[in-house]
Amino acid sequence: MTLSIQTIVPILQAQTNCVQEDYDSSDSEQAKQIDSVSIDSRSLQNGPGTLFFALAGPNYDAHSYIANLIDTGVRQFVVSHIPQNLEGKACFLIVGNTLDALQQFAAYYRGLFDFPVIGITGSNGKTIVKEWLNFLLGPDYNIIRSPKSYNSQVGVPLSVVSINENHNLGIFEAGISTVNEMAKLELMIRPTIGLLTNIGTAHDEGFSNLGEKIREKLKLFAHTELLICHKNKTVEAFISQKVKTFTWSCKDESADVFIGKTASVDKTLLNVRHHGGKFDIRIPFQDDASIENAIQCLMVLLHFGYSHETIEQRMALLYPVEMRLKVKNGINNTTLIDDSYSSDFQSLKIALDFLESQKQYKKKTVILSDIFQSGLDTEELYSRVSQLIISNKIHRVIGIGETISAYKNKFVNCVTFKDTEAFAEAFDTLAFGNETILIKGARTFEFEKIVLLLEEKTHETVLEINLNAISHNLNFFKSKLNPETKLMVMVKAFGYGNGGFEIAKLLEHHHVDYLGVAFADEGISLKSAGIKLPIMVLNPETTSFQSIIQHGLEPEIYSLKGLKSFLQIAKQRKLEQFPIHIKIDTGMHRLGFEENNIDELIAILNENKSVKVKSILSHMATSDDLRFKDFALSQIARFEKLSSKLMQALQISPIRHILNTSGITNFREAQYDMVRLGIGLYGVSNDPEEQKKLENVGTLKSVISQIRSIPAGDSVGYGRRFIADKPAKIATIPIGYADGISRGWGNEKGFVTVKNKKAPIVGSVCMDMLMADVSGISCKEGDRVVIFGESPTVNEMAAALDTIPYEILTGISQRVKRVFYRE
């Protein structure tokens, strides 16, 4: 991309406010050149050639970060207003709506190129089909495609503006969640070939009925030359007669392509009838979703005129697509970012930004394979990769592949190997330790072997944490807040069992205002790992005050004794205005100053300058149960009374906060200056309607260690608490009460999920194992087992065990490996 500001101004219909040196309307040669577009102020890839679009939403506004961007060298901004004191310091293009402007820019940019573009939409399978098409068509085309699942109102324009002059085929996916969205995406993608994948239940809540959903999705194909789709009467009723279709079916022989299916060991044989001819292909999958996605790809290959032999050869090599960036613990105090299934320029940029958002160690290493399908000549490609590495302040590059080895001189502190086997042979000499490592390689390089070498070895039970879901839930609760309301997020108890540092790092990336922990050691751990957000310690012991001060934590003070102890230490250390947080007991009767000692509290605070009251807070006892609404309101009233008395007597204006997760939903009028988000961030609500809008964060998984068949009358486990009344197939799973699974969940009260089917837990849960009845489930040793996640949910488990989801989540042992990932 090389465009001038002068070219962009009329496209966006923008008013300009630019420094003379940045924009000269009388001389286009003096106009600033744009070589990239950004919306992320945190990206280290922003620079002088970046055009930054300052997007704004209900609870975020990128205009707030423009001053910092100017300091880092960015000079061109698309804004809805010029922030205070910045006029004359950069070139501002002023528009009514910055998201609309980004989309207008992408639509213009798309129009500069004339080559086939495949547009993909549907409820399921979009990203997998896109990645498989990239694999199948890649040998013959320079393909530009959506990186990861960049298919939204923001993701699509960012994908489109990555097109360059050497691309000759585009593959973009489009995702919508409600009406009046697809027409905007169509203008930017302008697909010449349409591909409609499965229509399922995803985002049903955004549409009044199935017809409205189908009609909206089909808007992507308003101007396509051809629409490829499954022959379906319901869908066909909404397709315009002007659109030419190319249909397939496994049941309706009137389809353009009729396909028979036969399972064969771990493969599926597809018998394809097309244009009066027949041929067979084998694909390495047996599940219905993968078969349907593979058929969609087959249809594209047929339309492109590939020979039956080529189709058969390439489709036999299809592979499971890993769409997630995973964060894993590595050997020798390392953190791994596992992106070991693809290597292209656009996804490298995304992975480097993710590396920066999740780095635990200052030292950063990238293990990178040869890069494919960039649309750039090799010299320019590796020059750009080198600039990315430099801008992201990567300390070491390990290149694997003949091409990247040839361009080794473009990287500082770089060692290269011809292939993954050569790397493995030299592994012991590379001295990995105390660093964050991004592992990014094209699938042909089998970088999963590198991950295996570097990954910390633990048992096969893992708790997978979906960072996208955390971001979604955070934004969901932010949408309930007034624009000026600050947000503290609780990461106590090891992030409610989900992992402290990784989640804290993500929250820091999202610019929350405060983190909350229960005890000082939790906060010290986060500060030692590099978290810079202010951290409140809610239950500090007096013995921890020295450490709290040393590590820059902020204590909650809830008693006169605690206050006097802290002030004594503060005076000894000659502190001034050290931040503390005053806790008032308004009815919880757990911790806090009561009304009868407020006067003494005021007297003590009035006499010292060692501390500063940063906030006043209280805790509600019944915010989650509207049967006790009157009591909750009485707490809020008491908080108003006592906090106001403190503020008036001390002549201070601290942050006030009383609402927890349930309070955010049920008592919005009491937001005050800040709220505290806890269990809701992790996808748990006691409101059934609200629960539908949250995304599951944690999925606890294990594997089947062994399967045995037992006859009727045989027992399973300690105490013969389960006796089979008929022949049964029993799976042993390596997770037990030492990992946090309650013994009460055994003996057929609970279940696990195997192959999307319920398998009741039989017999008692053991210390390290449990057994499940998998009779009637087609499974084998080594297959994955879901302990909790989508099914069963932690809410279901808590209800059955007469407890709360907090206990389920926080009870998961630290010996269970946490794997963090981003879709």
Side-chain angles (χ1 to χ4, degrees), residues 160-217:
V160 168
V161 299
S162 298
I163 300 172
N164 67 47
E165 291 76 8
N166 294 317
H167 291 126
N168 56 15
L169 177 65
I171 309 175
F172 297 105
E173 56 176 297
I176 57 171
S177 57
T178 189
V179 296
N180 301 321
E181 290 185 343
M182 189 61 85
K184 296 178 181 179
L185 302 185
E186 194 275 337
L187 285 172
M188 292 180 279
I189 297 174
R190 297 190 199 178
T192 58
I193 301 167
L195 201 160
L196 182 65
T197 66
N198 175 274
I199 299 291
T201 58
H203 301 296
D204 270 359
E205 66 278 5
F207 303 93
S208 60
N209 54 56
L210 178 61
E212 183 177 65
K213 183 177 187 178
I214 294 171
R215 188 181 293 109
E216 181 69 19
K217 288 186 179 293

Coordinates of all heavy atoms in Angstrom, one line a residue, residues 160-217:
V160 N -8.9 -6.5 4.0 CA -8.9 -6.0 2.7 C -7.8 -5.0 2.4 O -7.2 -5.1 1.3 CB -10.3 -5.3 2.4 CG1 -10.2 -4.5 1.1 CG2 -11.4 -6.3 2.3
V161 N -7.4 -4.2 3.3 CA -6.3 -3.2 3.1 C -4.9 -3.9 3.1 O -3.9 -3.2 2.9 CB -6.3 -2.0 4.1 CG1 -7.7 -1.3 4.0 CG2 -6.1 -2.6 5.5
S162 N -4.9 -5.2 3.2 CA -3.6 -5.9 3.1 C -3.3 -6.4 1.7 O -2.3 -7.0 1.4 CB -3.6 -7.1 4.1 OG -3.7 -6.7 5.4
I163 N -4.3 -6.2 0.8 CA -4.1 -6.6 -0.6 C -2.9 -5.8 -1.2 O -2.7 -4.6 -0.9 CB -5.3 -6.3 -1.5 CG1 -6.5 -7.0 -0.9 CG2 -5.1 -6.6 -2.9 CD1 -7.8 -6.7 -1.6
N164 N -2.1 -6.5 -2.0 CA -1.0 -5.8 -2.7 C -1.1 -6.2 -4.2 O -1.9 -7.0 -4.6 CB 0.4 -6.0 -2.1 CG 0.9 -7.4 -2.2 OD1 0.8 -8.0 -3.3 ND2 1.4 -7.9 -1.1
E165 N -0.2 -5.5 -5.0 CA -0.3 -5.7 -6.4 C 0.0 -7.0 -7.0 O -0.3 -7.4 -8.1 CB 0.7 -4.6 -7.1 CG 0.3 -3.2 -6.9 CD 0.5 -2.6 -5.5 OE1 1.2 -3.4 -4.7 OE2 0.1 -1.5 -5.2
N166 N 0.6 -7.9 -6.2 CA 1.0 -9.2 -6.6 C 0.0 -10.3 -6.4 O 0.1 -11.4 -6.8 CB 2.4 -9.6 -6.0 CG 3.5 -8.7 -6.5 OD1 3.6 -8.4 -7.7 ND2 4.3 -8.3 -5.6
H167 N -1.0 -10.0 -5.6 CA -2.1 -10.9 -5.3 C -3.0 -11.1 -6.6 O -3.2 -10.2 -7.3 CB -3.0 -10.5 -4.2 CG -2.3 -10.5 -2.8 ND1 -2.2 -9.4 -2.0 CD2 -1.6 -11.5 -2.2 CE1 -1.5 -9.8 -0.9 NE2 -1.1 -11.0 -1.0
N168 N -3.4 -12.4 -6.8 CA -4.3 -12.6 -7.9 C -5.5 -13.5 -7.5 O -6.2 -13.9 -8.4 CB -3.5 -13.3 -9.1 CG -2.8 -14.5 -8.7 OD1 -3.1 -15.1 -7.6 ND2 -1.9 -15.0 -9.5
L169 N -5.7 -13.7 -6.2 CA -6.9 -14.3 -5.8 C -7.1 -13.9 -4.3 O -6.2 -13.9 -3.5 CB -6.8 -15.9 -5.8 CG -8.0 -16.7 -5.3 CD1 -9.2 -16.4 -6.1 CD2 -7.6 -18.2 -5.2
G170 N -8.4 -13.6 -4.0 CA -8.7 -13.2 -2.6 C -9.7 -14.2 -2.0 O -10.6 -14.7 -2.7
I171 N -9.6 -14.5 -0.7 CA -10.5 -15.3 0.0 C -10.8 -14.6 1.3 O -9.9 -14.5 2.2 CB -9.9 -16.7 0.3 CG1 -9.4 -17.4 -1.0 CG2 -11.0 -17.6 0.9 CD1 -8.7 -18.7 -0.7
F172 N -12.0 -14.0 1.4 CA -12.4 -13.3 2.6 C -13.6 -13.9 3.2 O -14.6 -14.3 2.5 CB -12.6 -11.8 2.3 CG -11.4 -11.1 1.8 CD1 -11.3 -10.8 0.4 CD2 -10.4 -10.8 2.6 CE1 -10.2 -10.2 -0.1 CE2 -9.3 -10.1 2.1 CZ -9.2 -9.8 0.8
E173 N -13.7 -14.0 4.6 CA -14.9 -14.4 5.2 C -15.6 -13.2 5.8 O -15.0 -12.2 6.2 CB -14.6 -15.5 6.3 CG -13.6 -15.0 7.3 CD -13.4 -16.1 8.4 OE1 -14.4 -16.4 9.1 OE2 -12.2 -16.6 8.6
A174 N -16.9 -13.4 6.0 CA -17.8 -12.3 6.5 C -18.7 -12.9 7.6 O -19.4 -13.8 7.3 CB -18.6 -11.7 5.4
G175 N -18.6 -12.3 8.8 CA -19.4 -12.8 9.9 C -20.3 -11.6 10.4 O -19.9 -10.5 10.5
I176 N -21.5 -12.0 10.6 CA -22.5 -11.0 11.1 C -23.2 -11.5 12.4 O -23.3 -12.7 12.5 CB -23.5 -10.6 10.1 CG1 -24.3 -11.8 9.5 CG2 -22.9 -9.8 8.9 CD1 -25.5 -11.5 8.7
S177 N -23.8 -10.6 13.2 CA -24.5 -11.1 14.4 C -25.9 -10.5 14.4 O -26.7 -10.9 15.2 CB -23.7 -10.6 15.6 OG -23.5 -9.2 15.6
T178 N -26.2 -9.6 13.5 CA -27.6 -9.0 13.4 C -27.8 -8.4 12.0 O -27.0 -8.5 11.1 CB -27.8 -8.0 14.5 OG1 -29.1 -7.6 14.6 CG2 -26.9 -6.8 14.3
V179 N -29.0 -7.8 11.9 CA -29.3 -7.2 10.6 C -28.5 -6.0 10.3 O -27.9 -5.4 11.2 CB -30.9 -6.9 10.5 CG1 -31.7 -8.2 10.6 CG2 -31.3 -6.0 11.6
N180 N -28.6 -5.6 9.0 CA -28.0 -4.3 8.5 C -26.4 -4.3 8.7 O -25.9 -3.2 8.8 CB -28.6 -3.1 9.2 CG -30.1 -3.0 9.0 OD1 -30.6 -3.3 7.9 ND2 -30.8 -2.7 10.0
E181 N -25.8 -5.5 8.7 CA -24.4 -5.5 8.8 C -23.7 -6.0 7.5 O -22.6 -5.5 7.1 CB -23.9 -6.4 9.9 CG -24.2 -5.9 11.3 CD -23.7 -6.8 12.4 OE1 -23.3 -8.0 12.2 OE2 -23.5 -6.3 13.5
M182 N -24.4 -6.9 6.8 CA -23.7 -7.6 5.7 C -23.5 -6.7 4.5 O -22.5 -6.8 3.7 CB -24.5 -8.8 5.2 CG -23.8 -9.7 4.2 SD -22.2 -10.3 4.8 CE -22.8 -11.8 5.7
A183 N -24.4 -5.7 4.2 CA -24.3 -4.8 3.1 C -23.0 -4.1 3.2 O -22.3 -3.8 2.2 CB -25.5 -3.9 3.0
K184 N -22.6 -3.7 4.4 CA -21.3 -3.0 4.6 C -20.1 -3.9 4.2 O -19.1 -3.4 3.6 CB -21.2 -2.5 6.0 CG -22.2 -1.4 6.4 CD -22.1 -1.0 7.9 CE -23.2 0.0 8.3 NZ -23.0 0.4 9.7
L185 N -20.2 -5.1 4.6 CA -19.1 -6.0 4.3 C -19.0 -6.3 2.8 O -17.9 -6.5 2.3 CB -19.3 -7.3 5.1 CG -19.4 -7.2 6.7 CD1 -19.4 -8.6 7.3 CD2 -18.2 -6.4 7.2
E186 N -20.2 -6.4 2.2 CA -20.2 -6.7 0.8 C -19.5 -5.6 0.0 O -18.8 -5.9 -1.0 CB -21.7 -6.8 0.3 CG -21.8 -7.4 -1.1 CD -21.7 -6.4 -2.2 OE1 -21.9 -5.2 -2.0 OE2 -21.4 -6.8 -3.4
L187 N -19.7 -4.4 0.4 CA -19.0 -3.3 -0.3 C -17.5 -3.3 -0.3 O -16.8 -2.9 -1.2 CB -19.5 -1.9 0.3 CG -20.9 -1.5 -0.1 CD1 -21.3 -0.2 0.7 CD2 -21.0 -1.2 -1.6
M188 N -17.0 -3.9 0.9 CA -15.6 -4.0 1.0 C -15.0 -5.2 0.4 O -13.9 -5.2 -0.2 CB -15.2 -4.0 2.5 CG -15.5 -2.6 3.2 SD -15.1 -2.6 5.0 CE -16.5 -3.4 5.7
I189 N -15.7 -6.4 0.5 CA -15.2 -7.6 -0.1 C -15.4 -7.7 -1.6 O -14.6 -8.2 -2.3 CB -15.8 -8.8 0.6 CG1 -15.4 -8.8 2.1 CG2 -15.4 -10.1 0.0 CD1 -16.1 -9.9 2.9
R190 N -16.6 -7.3 -2.1 CA -17.0 -7.4 -3.5 C -16.7 -8.8 -4.1 O -15.9 -8.9 -5.0 CB -16.3 -6.3 -4.3 CG -16.7 -4.9 -3.9 CD -16.2 -3.9 -4.9 NE -16.2 -2.6 -4.3 CZ -15.8 -1.5 -5.0 NH1 -15.3 -1.6 -6.2 NH2 -15.7 -0.3 -4.4
P191 N -17.2 -9.8 -3.5 CA -16.9 -11.2 -4.0 C -17.4 -11.4 -5.4 O -18.5 -11.0 -5.7 CB -17.6 -12.1 -3.0 CG -18.7 -11.3 -2.4 CD -18.2 -9.9 -2.4
T192 N -16.5 -12.0 -6.2 CA -17.0 -12.5 -7.5 C -17.5 -13.9 -7.5 O -18.3 -14.3 -8.3 CB -15.8 -12.4 -8.5 OG1 -14.7 -13.2 -8.0 CG2 -15.3 -11.0 -8.7
I193 N -17.1 -14.6 -6.5 CA -17.6 -16.0 -6.2 C -18.0 -16.0 -4.8 O -17.3 -15.7 -3.9 CB -16.5 -17.0 -6.4 CG1 -15.9 -17.0 -7.9 CG2 -17.0 -18.5 -6.1 CD1 -14.6 -17.7 -8.1
G194 N -19.3 -16.5 -4.6 CA -19.8 -16.6 -3.2 C -19.8 -18.1 -2.7 O -20.0 -19.0 -3.5
L195 N -19.6 -18.3 -1.4 CA -19.6 -19.6 -0.9 C -20.4 -19.5 0.4 O -20.0 -18.8 1.4 CB -18.2 -20.1 -0.6 CG -18.0 -21.6 -0.5 CD1 -16.6 -22.0 -0.8 CD2 -18.5 -22.1 0.8
L196 N -21.5 -20.2 0.5 CA -22.4 -20.2 1.7 C -22.2 -21.5 2.5 O -22.5 -22.6 1.9 CB -23.8 -20.0 1.3 CG -24.9 -20.0 2.5 CD1 -24.6 -18.7 3.3 CD2 -26.3 -20.0 1.9
T197 N -21.6 -21.4 3.7 CA -21.4 -22.6 4.5 C -22.7 -22.9 5.3 O -23.7 -22.3 5.1 CB -20.2 -22.4 5.4 OG1 -20.5 -21.4 6.4 CG2 -19.0 -22.0 4.6
N198 N -22.5 -23.8 6.2 CA -23.7 -24.3 7.0 C -24.4 -23.1 7.7 O -23.7 -22.2 8.2 CB -23.1 -25.3 8.1 CG -24.2 -25.7 9.0 OD1 -24.4 -25.1 10.0 ND2 -24.8 -26.8 8.7
I199 N -25.7 -23.1 7.7 CA -26.5 -22.2 8.5 C -26.9 -22.9 9.8 O -27.7 -23.8 9.7 CB -27.8 -21.7 7.7 CG1 -27.3 -21.0 6.4 CG2 -28.6 -20.8 8.5 CD1 -26.7 -19.7 6.6
G200 N -26.4 -22.4 10.9 CA -26.7 -23.0 12.2 C -27.3 -22.0 13.1 O -27.9 -21.0 12.7
T201 N -27.1 -22.3 14.4 CA -27.8 -21.5 15.4 C -26.9 -20.3 16.0 O -27.4 -19.5 16.8 CB -28.2 -22.3 16.6 OG1 -27.0 -23.0 17.2 CG2 -29.2 -23.4 16.2
A202 N -25.7 -20.2 15.5 CA -24.8 -19.1 16.0 C -25.5 -17.8 15.8 O -25.9 -17.5 14.7 CB -23.5 -19.2 15.4
H203 N -25.5 -16.9 16.8 CA -26.0 -15.5 16.7 C -27.5 -15.5 16.4 O -28.0 -14.5 15.9 CB -25.2 -14.7 15.7 CG -23.8 -14.6 15.9 ND1 -23.3 -14.0 17.1 CD2 -22.7 -15.1 15.3 CE1 -22.0 -14.1 17.1 NE2 -21.6 -14.7 16.0
D204 N -28.2 -16.6 16.7 CA -29.7 -16.5 16.5 C -30.4 -15.4 17.2 O -31.4 -14.9 16.7 CB -30.3 -17.9 17.0 CG -30.3 -18.9 15.9 OD1 -29.9 -18.6 14.8 OD2 -30.8 -20.0 16.2
E205 N -29.8 -15.0 18.3 CA -30.4 -13.9 19.1 C -30.5 -12.6 18.4 O -31.2 -11.7 18.7 CB -29.7 -13.7 20.5 CG -28.3 -13.2 20.4 CD -27.3 -14.3 20.1 OE1 -27.7 -15.5 19.8 OE2 -26.1 -14.0 20.1
G206 N -29.6 -12.4 17.4 CA -29.6 -11.2 16.6 C -30.6 -11.1 15.5 O -30.7 -10.0 14.8
F207 N -31.4 -12.1 15.3 CA -32.4 -12.2 14.2 C -33.7 -12.6 14.7 O -33.8 -13.4 15.7 CB -31.9 -13.1 13.1 CG -30.5 -12.8 12.6 CD1 -29.4 -13.4 13.1 CD2 -30.4 -11.9 11.6 CE1 -28.1 -13.1 12.7 CE2 -29.1 -11.5 11.1 CZ -28.0 -12.1 11.6
S208 N -34.8 -12.1 14.1 CA -36.1 -12.4 14.6 C -36.6 -13.8 14.2 O -37.4 -14.4 14.9 CB -37.2 -11.4 14.1 OG -37.1 -11.3 12.6
N209 N -36.0 -14.3 13.1 CA -36.3 -15.7 12.6 C -35.3 -16.1 11.7 O -34.4 -15.4 11.3 CB -37.7 -15.7 12.0 CG -37.9 -14.7 10.9 OD1 -37.1 -14.7 9.9 ND2 -38.9 -13.8 11.0
L210 N -35.3 -17.4 11.3 CA -34.4 -18.0 10.4 C -34.3 -17.3 9.0 O -33.3 -17.1 8.4 CB -34.6 -19.5 10.2 CG -33.7 -20.3 9.3 CD1 -32.3 -20.2 9.8 CD2 -34.2 -21.7 9.1
G211 N -35.5 -16.9 8.5 CA -35.6 -16.3 7.2 C -34.8 -15.0 7.2 O -34.1 -14.7 6.2
E212 N -35.0 -14.2 8.3 CA -34.3 -12.9 8.4 C -32.8 -13.1 8.4 O -32.0 -12.4 7.7 CB -34.7 -12.2 9.6 CG -34.1 -10.8 9.7 CD -34.6 -10.0 11.0 OE1 -34.3 -10.5 12.1 OE2 -35.3 -9.0 10.8
K213 N -32.3 -14.2 9.1 CA -30.9 -14.5 9.1 C -30.4 -14.9 7.8 O -29.3 -14.4 7.3 CB -30.7 -15.6 10.1 CG -29.3 -16.0 10.4 CD -29.2 -17.1 11.4 CE -27.8 -17.5 11.9 NZ -27.8 -18.5 12.9
I214 N -31.1 -15.8 7.0 CA -30.6 -16.2 5.7 C -30.6 -15.0 4.8 O -29.6 -14.8 4.0 CB -31.6 -17.3 5.2 CG1 -31.4 -18.6 6.0 CG2 -31.2 -17.6 3.7 CD1 -32.4 -19.6 5.7
R215 N -31.7 -14.2 4.8 CA -31.7 -13.0 3.9 C -30.6 -12.1 4.1 O -30.0 -11.6 3.2 CB -33.1 -12.3 4.1 CG -33.3 -11.2 3.1 CD -34.7 -10.5 3.4 NE -35.8 -11.4 3.2 CZ -36.6 -11.9 4.2 NH1 -36.3 -11.6 5.4 NH2 -37.6 -12.7 3.9
E216 N -30.2 -11.9 5.4 CA -29.1 -11.0 5.7 C -27.8 -11.6 5.2 O -27.0 -10.8 4.6 CB -29.0 -10.7 7.2 CG -27.9 -9.8 7.6 CD -28.2 -8.3 7.2 OE1 -29.3 -8.0 6.9 OE2 -27.2 -7.5 7.2
K217 N -27.5 -12.8 5.4 CA -26.3 -13.4 5.0 C -26.1 -13.4 3.4 O -25.0 -13.2 2.9 CB -26.2 -14.9 5.5 CG -25.9 -14.9 7.0 CD -25.7 -16.3 7.5 CE -25.4 -16.3 9.0 NZ -24.1 -15.7 9.4

